[in-house]
Amino acid sequence: MHESAKRRGSNLTTGTITRRLVVFAVPLLGASVVQLLYSTVDLIFVGRVLGTRAAAAVGASGLLVTCLVGLFTGLGTGASVLTARYFGAYDSRGISRVMHTSIAFAIALGLALIPVGLAATPLLLRALNTPGEIMVDATRYMRIYLLALVSIVVYNVGAGLLRALGDSLSPMVCQLIGGVLNVAGNALFLVGLKWGIAGSALATLCSQTVAAALVLVYLAHLDEGRRLHLNRLRIDGGTLRAVLAIGVPTGLQAVMITFSNVVVQHQINDLGVTAIAAFTAWFRVENFLYFPIMALGVALATFTAQNLGAGLVARARRGVLICNVMAAGVTATLSVALLWGSRSVFAMFSTEPAVIEVGTAIAWVVAPCYIVFAFMEMLSSTIRGAGHALVPMVIIVTLLCGLRIVLLLALSDSFSTAPQVALVYPITWTISVVALLAYYYGRSDHLWRVHRV
């Protein structure tokens, strides 16, 4: 890689660590917000234009969509960590090999999953106890959405590659353009053409496809040596195994977290309408705490991978410390602000005093402990950035997900109110952090070994 690449702001191995992390993380935060708006806009349009039954049909597919996005984000993480390692080592051939292998595999995977998904959609929806009166609409929506699988996986992998090269702004721009088109598509297909729920799914399909195409355009216009050439797309077996070694555990972890949340939701549903409404509001409010942490986590994983690839172990370790301090500061500030105005915040979601009261009680249980979640995410991101995704997955799946399920099922009488159910989150976060810390310090020499790629 030529010398000019070393002087670019995209290189996280040089410059002030704090500034590099902040500049890199802010567009990631923006991209997360845009991604959230995708589903929110669909739900708003469908609910307002088509009514409650159609909105329920879109919501019924939410779990399946979340699982798919989690899997593909994991694949993007695998490609990102490996690319960042090569970037830190200034190995253009390694970058090219990962890039072309990952994009080729993304296209092949998406094409292979589409017919499987189309055939399995009714079975999966029935397994999720989708009510019969919305089954037809839910199936139609999901099947059209599945046609976007190639676009979704290509976007996630392509965005991961760009971020590995230090460019977190371009993926956000692609997402933003796709988000604007999603709004326009919903307006055209639902309001203008009156295509019903199929129109909403088609709007998502079009917007995701445009976002994926834009990512490929960005990759195709990088500097020579890091550029995507469509005529060179082919899968290198060794490179793919290295990508999947990180990507598969990360994706499975996301899926298992989703399923553990289903068990939590089942417990919530037993508490009545007020608790359901309060938790629904809390899950929306929580995003203001969650998204900054996730953005810093992705930034830290990329920073760690690049610096270990460059052999800068001391800088990588200092970045971990700085990012943890940043995460703690941001989380503490936002948590205090949320708690200070909690009643006013929940009043935006409901006019019912009981819902506001329960929502506030949930916030006072979870928000003060959110800093523990921040440390958990920074630890797991560091370990993934060092190229070890399997151990964080085992810890998270076993303790965060498995223990959460066991607590709720085996001790259901002890979690009989909304605040008590909310308590399961900080309990499992704390235990997971202890396990991650034990691994982090117990295998320190192994984690901080310089990666010669």
Side-chain angles (χ1 to χ4, degrees):
M1 193 173 295
H2 50 71
E3 194 64 24
S4 64
K6 298 182 182 181
R7 295 194 296 269
R8 294 184 57 164
S10 60
N11 195 331
L12 302 178
T13 62
T14 61
T16 306
I17 295 175
T18 302
R19 182 178 180 277
R20 285 280 191 260
L21 288 170
V22 170
V23 170
F24 189 82
V26 168
L28 289 168
L29 177 58
S32 297
V33 173
V34 173
Q35 182 66 41
L36 177 65
L37 290 177
Y38 265 90
S39 58
T40 303
V41 166
D42 283 352
L43 203 56
I44 289 173
F45 267 97
V46 170
R48 294 279 185 176
V49 178
L50 303 180
T52 302
R53 180 175 294 185
V58 173
S61 64
L63 177 62
L64 299 179
V65 171
T66 301
C67 289
L68 287 172
V69 172
L71 279 173
F72 297 151
T73 301
L75 181 59
T77 300
S80 179
V81 169
L82 199 59
T83 301
R85 197 183 301 169
Y86 281 120
F87 182 77
Y90 303 110
D91 185 343
S92 295
R93 280 187 288 186
I95 292 174
S96 179
R97 198 162 57 246
V98 176
M99 183 178 293
H100 290 92
T101 293
S102 299
I103 295 296
F105 181 72
I107 295 172
L109 180 64
L111 290 173
L113 287 177
I114 287 176
V116 176
L118 293 177
T121 291
L123 296 174
L124 293 173
L125 288 173
R126 278 195 289 270
L128 294 173
N129 292 322
T130 302
E133 62 267 27
I134 64 172
M135 178 63 76
V136 173
D137 279 345
T139 301
R140 182 180 296 118
Y141 179 88
M142 193 63 201
R143 280 178 165 166
I144 296 174
Y145 184 94
L146 286 171
L147 296 177
L149 280 182
V150 173
S151 299
I152 296 171
V153 68
V154 166
Y155 172 80
N156 278 283
V157 171
L161 292 169
L162 286 170
R163 290 165 184 153
L165 301 174
D167 181 6
S168 59
L169 181 60
S170 297
M172 187 199 75
V173 172
C174 296
Q175 275 280 54
L176 183 59
I177 293 173
V180 171
L181 289 177
N182 192 40
V183 174
N186 272 286
L188 173 62
F189 299 142
L190 266 70
V191 181
L193 299 177
K194 301 186 184 304
W195 285 356
I197 198 168
S200 179
L202 187 60
T204 300
L205 168 62
C206 293
S207 59
Q208 292 279 15
T209 301
V210 169
L214 289 173
V215 163
L216 293 179
V217 169
Y218 272 106
L219 290 170
H221 287 82
L222 294 174
D223 296 339
E224 191 57 52
R226 298 189 283 163
R227 184 178 300 169
L228 177 69
H229 297 272
L230 294 180
N231 61 342
R232 298 182 190 172
L233 289 178
R234 59 183 54 86
I235 296 176
D236 176 78
T239 301
L240 180 60
R241 284 192 293 273
V243 169
L244 295 180
I246 299 171
V248 170
T250 305
L252 289 177
Q253 175 181 314
V255 171
M256 290 305 300
I257 289 175
T258 299
F259 277 110
S260 73
N261 286 334
V262 171
V263 177
V264 176
Q265 187 64 52
H266 184 274
Q267 187 76 10
I268 292 169
N269 291 346
D270 288 340
L271 301 180
V273 174
T274 298
I276 294 172
F279 266 105
T280 300
W282 164 250
F283 290 142
R284 296 290 187 274
V285 172
E286 184 190 28
N287 286 325
F288 291 100
L289 301 175
Y290 176 79
F291 284 150
I293 293 172
M294 297 307 294
L296 284 172
V298 174
L300 180 56
T302 305
F303 180 90
T304 301
Q306 279 197 13
N307 281 278
L308 287 182
L312 303 175
V313 176
R315 179 178 171 87
R317 287 188 159 208
R318 181 160 177 76
V320 172
L321 175 62
I322 291 173
C323 207
N324 272 279
V325 171
M326 290 169 58
V330 170
T331 304
T333 301
L334 293 175
S335 296
V336 169
L338 171 60
L339 293 175
W340 181 70
S342 57
R343 293 185 179 277
S344 298
V345 170
F346 283 98
M348 294 190 296
F349 294 89
S350 177
T351 58
E352 294 288 336
V355 173
I356 297 171
E357 189 71 27
V358 174
T360 300
I362 293 169
W364 275 96
V365 170
V366 181
C369 304
Y370 223 86
I371 195 168
V372 179
F373 176 83
F375 289 140
M376 183 185 74
E377 184 58 32
M378 294 310 108
L379 279 168
S380 58
S381 296
T382 300
I383 297 169
R384 277 196 300 271
H388 304 277
L390 183 60
V391 171
M393 184 207 76
V394 171
I395 290 174
I396 297 299
V397 168
T398 303
L399 299 178
L400 190 74
C401 304
L403 182 59
R404 184 176 294 173
I405 293 171
V406 169
L407 286 174
L408 289 175
L409 295 181
L411 303 174
S412 57
D413 291 342
S414 300
F415 296 95
S416 57
T417 68
Q420 288 172 344
V421 172
L423 190 61
V424 76
Y425 288 101
I427 288 174
T428 51
W429 291 342
T430 302
I431 296 172
S432 298
V433 164
V434 171
L436 286 168
L437 281 171
Y439 176 78
Y440 181 82
Y441 286 107
R443 300 299 303 276
S444 180
D445 293 339
H446 180 60
L447 285 175
W448 295 115
R449 187 180 64 231
V450 174
H451 294 289
R452 297 300 181 190
V453 291

